[in-house]
Amino acid sequence: MIDLNADLGEGFGRWTLTDDDALLSVVTSANVACGFHAGDPSVMRRVCDLAAERGVRIGAQVSYRDLAGFGRRAMDVPADELTAEVAYQIGALRVFAEAAGATVAYVKPHGALYNRTVHDDGQARAVVAGVRLAGGALPVLGLPGSRLLTAAADAGLTGVPEAFADRAYTARGTLVPRGEPGAVVTDGDAVVRRAVAFAMEGSVESVDGTTVAVAARSLCVHGDTPNAARIAALVRAALETAGVGIGAFA
């Protein structure tokens, strides 16, 4: 059994990036942008309404405050400030989730914050403190072996390891930085093969050709990858054909 998640609601005003309607017909968990890297109240409300209609779990995708850089620029934010900003984002999304008859079911950092919490204890603990401040023992999605999942467990939260079917991995099991060649896997067939390998074998081939163990409960397909909705549908079909059950972790 594996969960399929995607980053959704990544629009702002008249600008849109993700095909939310199509992806919500495929995934089981929706990482909804909460306004700091993308998303505005109207976008958040619409995605929550659609997710609730289709039985897709709603997750808060929290970020550094970086609309101009789409949350992918490195930032140094004091721990207490980051804690407050994480709680703020969860609270904002919760309003729209509950109005739709659902709830915020989990939390996942985005972009630079996600990658920072792989190795930075202070930022990882600040994110977890923000989850606790927002109320409720929400599960936290993160990279296997990350400081984020350790901090979540230390705080009594469920840490959920995830894998990325459309991102390249280093031999250490971390994601190849987006600025490097080949960091994003855009070939649909390759994404499908990697997704099945994650689910069936718990591993992926790294950029140097070595096999890296990646035990994941959730599988991400980025909503801003070219042809994301089509690729996500192919991934789901291939997993089901391989006998893998598809279901939300939260």
Side-chain angles (χ1 to χ4, degrees):
M1 178 73 73
I2 199 164
D3 169 67
L4 288 179
N5 78 75
D7 304 341
L8 301 178
E10 291 182 331
F12 198 88
R14 297 177 64 184
W15 174 76
T16 59
L17 178 62
T18 49
D19 188 346
D20 299 327
D21 289 349
L23 284 164
L24 283 168
S25 297
V26 178
V27 301
T28 46
S29 296
N31 317 317
V32 184
C34 297
F36 272 36
H37 76 281
D40 62 26
S42 295
V43 171
M44 293 162 68
R45 182 178 184 183
R46 180 175 181 276
V47 174
C48 285
D49 286 347
L50 288 172
E53 285 176 10
R54 300 179 190 183
V56 176
R57 299 294 188 272
I58 297 169
Q61 186 162 46
V62 298
S63 172
Y64 287 129
R65 188 191 293 269
D66 181 27
L67 274 175
F70 198 61
R72 287 180 175 159
R73 297 185 294 191
M75 302 183 74
D76 288 314
V77 180
D80 58 347
E81 184 177 333
L82 181 57
T83 291
E85 292 188 343
V86 167
Y88 178 93
Q89 292 174 78
I90 296 169
L93 186 65
R94 181 176 286 137
V95 169
F96 300 115
E98 292 183 352
T103 188
V104 173
Y106 65 94
V107 176
K108 175 182 174 178
H110 165 81
L113 181 58
Y114 186 98
N115 291 315
R116 180 77 171 265
T117 59
V118 170
H119 58 81
D120 189 313
D121 280 312
Q123 296 283 276
R125 289 195 298 269
V127 169
V128 170
V131 176
R132 299 293 291 177
L133 180 61
L138 297 177
V140 178
L141 266 177
L143 205 68
S146 65
R147 304 313 302 165
L148 179 64
L149 295 191
T150 298
D154 290 344
L157 304 180
T158 299
V160 181
E162 72 169 334
F164 293 84
D166 54 8
R167 289 296 309 277
Y169 279 75
T170 71
R172 301 188 307 277
T174 57
L175 301 180
V176 173
R178 280 184 174 267
E180 297 185 12
V184 179
V185 182
T186 58
D187 178 77
D189 291 339
V191 174
V192 169
R193 288 195 302 270
R194 292 160 64 86
V196 173
F198 280 128
M200 301 295 290
E201 302 166 15
S203 65
V204 67
E205 182 178 322
S206 72
V207 289
D208 70 359
T210 60
T211 299
V212 180
V214 182
R217 174 64 186 85
S218 185
L219 183 63
C220 178
V221 177
H222 281 91
D224 65 331
T225 298
N227 300 311
R230 182 184 67 82
I231 292 173
L234 292 173
V235 165
R236 178 159 186 157
L239 290 171
E240 291 174 336
T241 298
V244 179
I246 309 296
F249 64 83

